[in-house]
Amino acid sequence: MEAMGDRLDEYRRKRDAARTPEPVPAGPPPTGGNDTFVIQQHHARRLHWDLRLERDGVLVSWALPRGVPRDPKRNHLAVHTEDHPLEYADFHGEIPAGEYGGGRMTIFDRGTYATEKWRDREVIVVLSGSRVSGKYVLFQTKGKDWMIHRMDPPEPDWAPMPEEVRPMVATGSTRLPPDDDAWGYELNWDGVRALAYVDTGRVRLADAEGRDRTASYPELHPLGESLAPVACILDGVVVAFDGGKVSRAALERRVEVTDAAAARKLVSRTPVQYLAFDLLWLEGSSTMDLPYEDRRELLTGLDVAGAHWQTPPHFPGGGKFALETSREHGLPGVIAKRLDAPYAEGKRTKKWLRVKR
Ligand code: MN
């Protein structure tokens, strides 16, 4: 069936049905209910989210580099892209590298929507999805560039991510706590403290004093995309290795360098690892009031595990074992953390003890 001059021409022109798993229908667009939407998370050359609204037999589409805003105070860029076939609302999978839009695509949300206004340069819709709900306006600013703005207040259980959280600090101790069962133990990794602010596929790293250290560690930047779509604040340490051992001296060479170009040159010789040991904020809510044990469990659920980031083990009630392990690894000792302790932001506390081996 020949389909000349319909709204999917641009879509077909960009794709070879023999080379992409995406649907490439030959026929003219069918008609639907004008009420389905999908948001796809697309790990293309740059991560983005594709918002598609079913309209007159096609999916009218925008690419959102920062996703759909949850905060009415922050408008996000929405780049208008070619209309997609209705079948695309079900598509997820791997578009081969080298093809148009090459990369992994997952469905972030699907649902229905109601149209309040549909003009060439302004669209107002009310989305009802499982992750995204509320009234949004899309408006053209220039050419393909549009913006998306949330017209409703934020969802009731959602608050914006804090700009800065100061780390909780351990108190030095000469011995393990006597009530071993009430504590969890982590190795003292002998690195530099770093908080990771992860949102819309990006990460910002700050040191214990709140200074931005993102440029110093280019190999940690993909952490943001690896956790997408999750938004969270992680607490942890940056460590460097030399001959398989944690090395403070190797780390110093990286810490000193704050220039992005200079830092990139050091990555292959002295790569760093980010060891995330705590979770302070997750998806619109602080987790700092939760006991350490519960925060650890949520952290484990995030599966922070990649080439340059890990969640190091912790040992609930195992002080002696942890101390022996730190000795084997040539580390300074352990950090004992009370399992029931909330996160005391910016405070030195006796709920966390730094015990030397
Ligand atoms: Mn895309």
Side-chain angles (χ1 to χ4, degrees), residues 42 44 48 50 52 63 105:
H42 189 182
H48 60 269
D50 291 296
R52 309 187 197 280
M105 190 176 264

Side-chain angles (χ1 to χ4, degrees), residues 242-258:
D242 191 4
K245 293 240 174 218
V246 173
S247 166
R248 189 80 204 187
L251 181 63
E252 291 304 329
R253 295 197 286 275
R254 294 297 307 275
V255 172
E256 287 162 10
V257 178
T258 53

Side-chain angles (χ1 to χ4, degrees), residues 16-342:
D16 179 347
R19 301 177 70 121
T20 179
E22 299 164 290
V24 186
T31 45
N34 288 348
D35 61 354
T36 299
F37 84 90
V38 64
I39 302 169
Q40 280 145 328
Q41 179 170 306
H42 189 182
H43 295 260
R45 195 152 44 90
R46 297 197 70 166
L47 173 67
H48 60 269
W49 286 264
D50 291 296
L51 168 63
R52 309 187 197 280
L53 304 174
E54 179 217 343
R55 179 85 180 174
D56 298 336
V58 295
L59 297 173
V60 178
S61 299
W62 292 265
L64 282 49
R66 309 208 73 153
V68 175
R70 308 188 70 168
D71 186 347
K73 293 201 189 88
R74 284 174 194 264
N75 295 351
H76 287 180
L77 175 65
V79 180
H80 189 241
T81 56
E82 76 276 17
D83 293 335
H84 278 48
L86 290 192
E87 295 91 324
Y88 211 94
D90 296 317
F91 176 72
H92 56 92
E94 192 79 31
I95 302 171
E99 295 306 305
Y100 179 73
R104 183 165 47 92
M105 190 176 264
T106 57
I107 293 177
F108 172 78
D109 201 5
R110 265 198 79 156
T112 56
Y113 78 94
T115 306
E116 291 213 348
K117 186 173 182 182
W118 195 288
R119 302 275 184 277
D120 285 349
R121 304 177 62 171
E122 188 187 24
V123 168
I124 298 177
V125 289
V126 181
L127 304 177
S128 308
S130 51
R131 302 175 89 147
V132 178
S133 286
K135 192 198 276 200
Y136 286 88
V137 56
L138 291 133
F139 55 96
Q140 188 185 30
T141 52
K142 190 168 188 271
K144 288 185 181 304
D145 287 351
W146 291 51
M147 299 294 279
I148 180 167
H149 164 75
R150 183 177 173 90
M151 297 175 80
D152 276 341
E155 279 161 52
D157 54 351
W158 185 91
M161 182 186 283
E163 297 271 320
E164 187 185 337
V165 176
R166 288 297 176 98
M168 177 168 173
V169 182
T171 304
S173 170
T174 52
R175 70 186 67 169
L176 291 168
D179 50 344
D180 190 56
D181 286 348
W183 298 75
Y185 300 87
E186 294 167 3
L187 304 182
N188 182 352
W189 287 99
D190 204 19
V192 289
R193 196 72 175 269
L195 276 78
Y197 300 79
V198 176
D199 195 11
T200 62
R202 292 161 170 83
V203 64
R204 176 169 60 87
L205 296 157
D207 66 15
E209 282 74 43
R211 286 181 299 237
D212 192 313
R213 304 305 305 255
T214 313
S216 298
Y217 308 113
E219 66 270 59
L220 302 184
H221 298 179
L223 169 65
E225 181 165 346
S226 83
L227 289 178
V230 168
C232 64
I233 302 176
L234 303 171
D235 187 6
V237 285
V238 176
V239 296
F241 291 85
D242 191 4
K245 293 240 174 218
V246 173
S247 166
R248 189 80 204 187
L251 181 63
E252 291 304 329
R253 295 197 286 275
R254 294 297 307 275
V255 172
E256 287 162 10
V257 178
T258 53
D259 173 70
R264 273 195 294 275
K265 287 183 187 148
L266 293 175
V267 169
S268 57
R269 195 157 28 113
T270 315
V272 297
Q273 288 271 334
Y274 182 60
L275 305 178
F277 53 63
D278 214 326
L279 176 72
L280 311 187
W281 189 91
L282 179 65
E283 302 286 39
S285 314
S286 172
T287 53
M288 290 189 275
D289 290 338
L290 298 175
Y292 161 69
E293 205 171 15
D294 294 2
R295 300 198 308 277
R296 252 337 271 223
E297 204 174 308
L298 287 172
L299 176 64
T300 302
L302 289 183
D303 194 22
V304 181
H308 289 281
W309 44 89
Q310 300 290 333
T311 302
H314 80 127
F315 311 98
K320 284 204 178 103
F321 173 72
L323 213 52
E324 274 163 32
T325 307
S326 82
R327 199 171 288 129
E328 283 162 23
H329 290 273
L331 295 171
V334 300
I335 311 286
K337 299 181 174 177
R338 281 220 45 123
L339 294 171
D340 62 359

